[in-house]
Amino acid sequence: DKWLDLPTKRPLVVATEYPTLATRWLEKVGWADRVEVINSSGATEVFPPEDADFIIDNSATGTTLKANGLTIIDSIYESSTYLVASKFALQNEVKARTVQNLKLLLESALSARKSAWIEFNLLTDPGSADDMTAATSSTGGAGYPPSPSTFRPLTAAQKLTRLSTWLPAIQAPTVSNLFGKEGYAVKSIVPRDELSTLLPKIKLGGGRDIIVSNVNQVLL
């Protein structure tokens, strides 16, 4: 039973930023007479176990809860966020433009959550073990990773040609020449959930000096 870990011989303490909502839920489940509600005023997840037996809080992904050793035992309700504008406001050109601009910025922030900015260099460096690569399929199928016997040196241009066939990008990767070297600097916006497979493939494809950064906004 999901409630078995809670103490039964003393009043329980629940920490929350939503005391009214918490009280209503406790009344609904018949626990109002045995639970003390305290206002957490933020950082609610750190209250258990010393300062509270359980918490009532909002959660988007559950990551913070898991990081603090907490388990969800009940869901009070689920909600979604909407941008709502008055139809009368939308009839005003200035107000309508302001609403559209706000919508654009919100959508760009949501898109950025799913994206990552990746940068790396491609160099021509014959004889270097780190610069040896092989022809691999974009799906990572047969021959991926390549065996040592299939390795052979490639120029930066050859590497770029191969990488460009599978490297994700919004339109196309941004490529520029490296100063004083025969090679290229490559930059691209990629799906964040593909990083675990992309990074090893970029390294095997001859990528060096690989940098991954967070993206704040993506406007398409």
Side-chain angles (χ1 to χ4, degrees):
D1 187 279
K2 59 187 178 183
W3 304 98
L4 290 180
D5 291 337
L6 295 175
T8 58
K9 297 182 179 180
R10 62 168 176 79
L12 299 175
V13 177
V14 57
T16 182
E17 292 183 77
Y18 315 100
T20 301
L21 183 64
T23 300
R24 291 176 181 172
W25 178 79
L26 291 169
E27 291 173 348
K28 178 181 178 181
V29 298
W31 279 33
D33 60 344
R34 60 169 299 200
V35 178
E36 176 189 358
V37 179
I38 60 174
N39 195 327
S40 59
S41 299
T44 308
E45 64 276 0
V46 303
F47 276 67
E50 287 81 6
D51 299 313
D53 297 299
F54 63 103
I55 67 174
I56 293 178
D57 203 7
N58 68 74
S59 176
T61 63
T63 302
T64 303
L65 298 178
K66 293 179 182 179
N68 285 274
L70 300 176
T71 301
I72 297 175
I73 58 176
D74 200 3
S75 178
I76 297 177
Y77 69 83
E78 297 181 1
S79 65
S80 300
T81 303
Y82 294 87
L83 175 62
V84 180
S86 164
K87 62 180 181 180
F88 299 106
L90 295 178
Q91 293 173 3
N92 180 289
E93 182 179 351
V94 175
K95 293 182 179 179
R97 187 182 304 113
T98 300
V99 171
Q100 290 301 321
N101 288 342
L102 178 59
K103 177 176 178 290
L104 176 67
L105 294 174
L106 291 174
E107 288 177 340
S108 70
L110 292 175
S111 296
R113 293 181 180 181
K114 303 176 183 179
S115 305
W117 177 257
I118 190 167
E119 306 176 53
F120 59 92
N121 294 329
L122 295 173
L123 297 174
T124 296
D125 190 9
S128 170
D130 290 338
D131 193 63
M132 310 296 274
T133 188
T136 61
S137 68
S138 61
T139 59
Y144 183 88
S147 63
S149 61
T150 64
F151 283 111
R152 61 186 180 87
L154 297 174
T155 66
Q158 289 174 319
K159 296 176 186 178
L160 180 61
T161 299
R162 295 188 175 189
L163 284 167
S164 63
T165 62
W166 52 260
L167 182 66
I170 294 177
Q171 297 292 337
T174 300
V175 180
S176 57
N177 292 318
L178 291 176
F179 178 74
K181 288 183 176 292
E182 183 181 347
Y184 304 99
V186 183
K187 304 177 182 180
S188 187
I189 297 290
V190 303
R192 179 170 292 278
D193 59 4
E194 295 184 19
L195 282 175
S196 60
T197 56
L198 282 174
L199 292 177
K201 288 181 68 176
I202 290 172
K203 184 65 176 177
L204 281 173
R208 294 184 173 186
D209 315 317
I210 303 171
I211 300 174
V212 178
S213 306
N214 292 326
V215 179
N216 293 324
Q217 290 178 292
V218 176
L219 284 79
L220 303 178

